[in-house]
Each structure stands twice: as structure tokens, then as C-alpha cells.
Amino acid sequence: MEEGRYKIDIKKFLPHRPPMLLVSNMPFIGPESVITEFDITSDCIFIDNNYFVEAGLIENAAQTCSAIVGQSYFDKEDLEGTSNKLVGYISAIKKVEIFGLPQVNDTIVTKARLISRYDTEGLSICTMSSSTFRNDDLIVDCTLNCLIQEV
């Protein structure tokens, strides 16, 4: 397994806040991969008829993916997320396959890895792949292009 950090409070590093924060925990983050968890609750804005809808699954993948590149804009010793401010954008959804929708009270686990990255001053353009699981069942497989910008 690659060297990384464990049990980081993702809420300190993503600009999202409820109701748009779609990551509950980040058990692992390394230079080229990340694992996140999201506990789906009934007050989530992406719930329809007790199901977590497709847009929510894609946004969860994007938030998970952005953590990989976003971490490089923070000081290594910064465990509070105070050393930088970032904004991220999905610039393209290259592929998305959704095999099932999780329900309220499910926990999904999303695993992402960096495929490519191009950096300019204050901006990173990257391609990442992501797989989301409910229990051990694959429910989403996607590839996203993202822009991460320092503000």
C-alpha cells in the first residue's frame, strides 16, 4: 500500500458544507489515491423516495477525487486545513456507470485514484477514476476530469 495519512477530517479540507458535503469520513489519503465514506441520511438533499440519486453519487465521487490533488496545496503538517483555500470544478465526466442506488441509512465507500495531472501556477488539471461500493457491491464506476484552483 502506498504511503499516506489515515483518518483525516475531510471537512477541514473540502470547501463544501452541509447540505452539499457528501463525504463523512476519509480513512486514507495518499499521493495518488484516497478512500472516503459517506453515511446517507434522510435529510440529504440528494434523496428521492428513500434513494440517494445519481447526481449525489457523481458529486460524492468528485469530492472524493478532488481530495487527491487538493492535498498538495496544503502544508504536510497542516491537520486543520488552514494553510490554503481551494475550489474544485468537474470539467468533464468522461465515463459514468451506475449499477445501483443506495438508500437512506446506507454507507457508501468511494475509492479514487489519480490517472493524470498537469499543474500550472495555482491550478491543477487532472483525470481521476473512482469506484463506489455499497457493502462490497460496486454501484458506481466513473472517470472525471477536474480543475483544482487556489483562491
Side-chain angles (χ1 to χ4, degrees):
M1 179 178 265
E2 70 181 293
E3 190 173 317
R5 299 190 294 176
Y6 295 87
K7 298 182 181 173
I8 302 298
D9 185 356
I10 188 76
K11 291 179 277 316
K12 294 181 179 177
F13 293 91
L14 285 177
H16 304 82
R17 294 295 170 256
M20 283 302 296
L21 181 62
L22 301 181
V23 174
S24 303
N25 301 301
M26 186 169 55
F28 173 81
I29 188 165
E32 296 185 1
S33 68
V34 65
I35 300 170
T36 65
E37 300 168 337
F38 180 54
D39 302 319
I40 302 167
T41 59
S42 61
D43 61 345
C44 177
I45 64 172
F46 290 103
I47 297 297
D48 184 31
N49 290 323
N50 210 44
Y51 286 94
F52 188 55
V53 298
E54 294 87 344
L57 289 167
I58 294 168
E59 180 61 24
N60 165 265
Q63 289 181 24
T64 297
C65 287
S66 69
I68 298 170
V69 174
Q71 71 178 320
S72 64
Y73 287 89
F74 291 87
D75 297 330
K76 280 203 181 281
E77 295 80 32
D78 182 3
L79 298 179
E80 296 299 315
T82 59
S83 63
N84 214 317
K85 301 294 181 204
L86 302 175
V87 64
Y89 308 93
I90 300 172
S91 61
I93 299 175
K94 296 179 84 169
K95 174 186 95 167
V96 64
E97 295 178 279
I98 298 177
F99 305 107
L101 298 177
Q103 296 183 8
V104 170
N105 297 324
D106 283 344
T107 297
I108 56 175
V109 175
T110 303
K111 300 177 181 182
R113 69 178 178 80
L114 182 65
I115 296 172
S116 67
R117 176 177 179 170
Y118 176 76
D119 294 324
T120 65
E121 191 170 322
L123 178 72
S124 294
I125 303 165
C126 45
T127 300
M128 292 166 276
S129 67
S130 174
S131 299
T132 302
F133 301 86
R134 178 186 53 225
N135 301 319
D136 290 327
D137 298 326
L138 177 66
I139 59 170
V140 181
D141 186 34
C142 65
T143 304
L144 306 173
N145 285 357
C146 293
L147 297 171
I148 309 296
Q149 182 179 17
E150 190 173 21
V151 292

